Amino acid sequence: MTSKPAKISVQGVTKTFALGRETFTALDDVCLDIAEHEFVTVVGPSGCGKSTLMNILAGLETPSRGRALVDGATVFGPGPERGVIFQQYALFPWLTVRQNVEFGLRTTGVPKAERRGRAEHFIELVGLERFADALPKTLSGGMRQRCAIARAYAVDPSILLMDEPFGALDALTRVKLQEQLLRTWSQDKRTVLFITHDVDEAVFLANRVIVMAARPGRIYDVIEVDPAIVRDEAFRLSPEFAALRNRVWHSVYHQEGRTASAAAGATAN
Ligand SMILES: Nc1ncnc2c1ncn2[C@@H]1O[C@H](COP(=O)(O)OP(=O)(O)OP(=O)(O)O)[C@@H](O)[C@H]1O
Ligand SMILES: [Mg+2]
């Protein structure tokens, strides 16, 4: 047990949307605590409320019931401690790669000279240095997403909220960005909530995999992954990885009956 308060705490969050005259329950009583420096992945079928959960944590949606807390304070809107990478690339089309990356730094008051240096560093980190002056429309989908990643990293948030950030990328770029994300995560002690459709990705990255179910959106299963495991190619090919993947896969594809909100409510470590 840890004595530290949860970095992120989702407490009995229900979210309903009006659907004509009916109400639609996108999230039903979701409880989830994430400790500082934890890497949590979320998988589940389309429409189970993954993006809704992330939008609530990002401060872009408000819960209908319950509350979301970051560092012990209720979330009422976006904040610089939370870097968000959306499912769809959210770049300003009229700004270049460099200007997009610098944008977040400008809004958080980083001085001009430092902005340039920091932007260069993160553009290089995602391998876009040759495209720093290009507009988003001239980049491939994967390059745009790398730009969005550089922009989120540059602000140096203590929390990264990532909604299927690598979903549109080719397999090789995806693996490279996964490894890079893990490298930066192990150095900078960020707390990460990472949504994905990809069971392999969920297992490879996580300390804990949350499986959600739909109608209503809820936490269905929680699978712990030993944080001591070195995430490398050997792990990807190991029987241990295969067993974890089978466990998550089974949970995603055989969702009947039970919920596991209570299991997820306990802080890991
Ligand atoms: N603003 C909204 N108004 C009405 N319904 C909404 C709204 N946002 C989400 N929903 C509904 O809530 C449910 C959950 O949506 P959400 O986008 O969170 O799912 P998801 O798990 O992220 O799906 P996907 O894997 O396809 O991205 C869906 O049925 C969706 O139609
Ligand atoms: Mg989504």
Side-chain angles (χ1 to χ4, degrees):
M1 281 284 289
T2 175
S3 55
K4 277 204 290 191
K7 183 83 179 163
I8 296 174
S9 185
V10 179
Q11 302 180 349
V13 164
T14 293
K15 179 70 182 175
T16 54
F17 291 109
L19 194 71
R21 287 204 202 140
E22 320 250 299
T23 54
F24 175 81
T25 305
L27 290 174
D28 185 28
D29 194 21
V30 170
C31 296
L32 173 67
D33 275 2
I34 302 179
E36 189 170 21
H37 192 44
E38 221 189 327
F39 199 129
V40 171
T41 54
V42 180
V43 280
S46 186
C48 71
K50 302 181 295 296
S51 295
T52 304
L53 177 63
M54 204 198 77
N55 288 339
I56 287 172
L57 286 168
L60 303 171
E61 296 267 16
T62 49
S64 308
R65 255 202 326 276
R67 57 186 189 152
L69 296 99
V70 165
D71 291 323
T74 303
V75 170
F76 286 115
E81 77 289 356
R82 279 161 286 149
V84 185
I85 298 169
F86 294 97
Q87 196 167 353
Q88 311 288 346
Y89 329 114
L91 299 176
F92 298 112
W94 60 89
L95 298 181
T96 64
V97 165
R98 190 196 317 280
Q99 289 164 336
N100 264 287
V101 175
E102 279 190 34
F103 182 84
L105 297 171
R106 216 160 51 208
T107 56
T108 49
V110 175
K112 194 171 178 189
E114 193 186 329
R115 272 198 322 249
R116 178 53 64 101
R118 263 216 248 173
E120 297 283 334
H121 171 75
F122 288 99
I123 289 168
E124 211 177 296
L125 188 79
V126 296
L128 284 181
E129 56 275 28
R130 281 179 46 227
F131 300 89
D133 297 312
L135 287 171
K137 69 175 179 201
T138 65
L139 305 177
S140 72
M143 290 158 88
R144 282 180 219 177
Q145 195 60 322
R146 283 189 271 153
C147 180
I149 290 165
R151 188 176 60 184
Y153 284 5
V155 182
D156 197 21
S158 62
I159 294 172
L160 277 176
L161 303 171
M162 308 178 81
D163 193 355
E164 301 195 30
F166 306 152
L169 306 181
D170 67 277
L172 189 59
T173 308
R174 189 172 185 139
V175 165
K176 283 188 173 165
L177 285 178
Q178 286 171 356
E179 288 168 354
Q180 184 186 69
L181 173 61
L182 283 176
R183 249 194 328 273
T184 49
W185 171 75
S186 62
Q187 286 160 10
D188 59 26
K189 311 284 182 218
R190 282 192 185 120
T191 307
V192 183
L193 182 71
F194 186 106
I195 294 169
T196 176
H197 266 116
D198 186 309
V199 170
D200 281 35
E201 184 169 70
V203 169
F204 185 71
L205 296 173
N207 300 148
R208 190 157 45 129
V209 182
I210 308 286
V211 178
M212 290 182 67
R215 289 178 297 280
R218 63 198 189 276
I219 292 178
Y220 176 78
D221 203 0
V222 181
I223 295 113
E224 304 278 346
V225 184
D226 184 352
I229 292 172
V230 177
R231 320 287 157 136
D232 56 9
E233 204 188 343
F235 174 50
R236 274 189 210 277
L237 301 172
S238 69
E240 201 174 7
F241 183 83
L244 283 162
R245 184 180 51 202
N246 291 349
R247 166 105 164 70
V248 175
W249 191 262
H250 189 270
S251 204
V252 172
Y253 287 93
H254 300 274
Q255 301 185 341
E256 294 296 325
R258 73 186 195 90
T259 59
S261 309
T267 304
N269 305 327

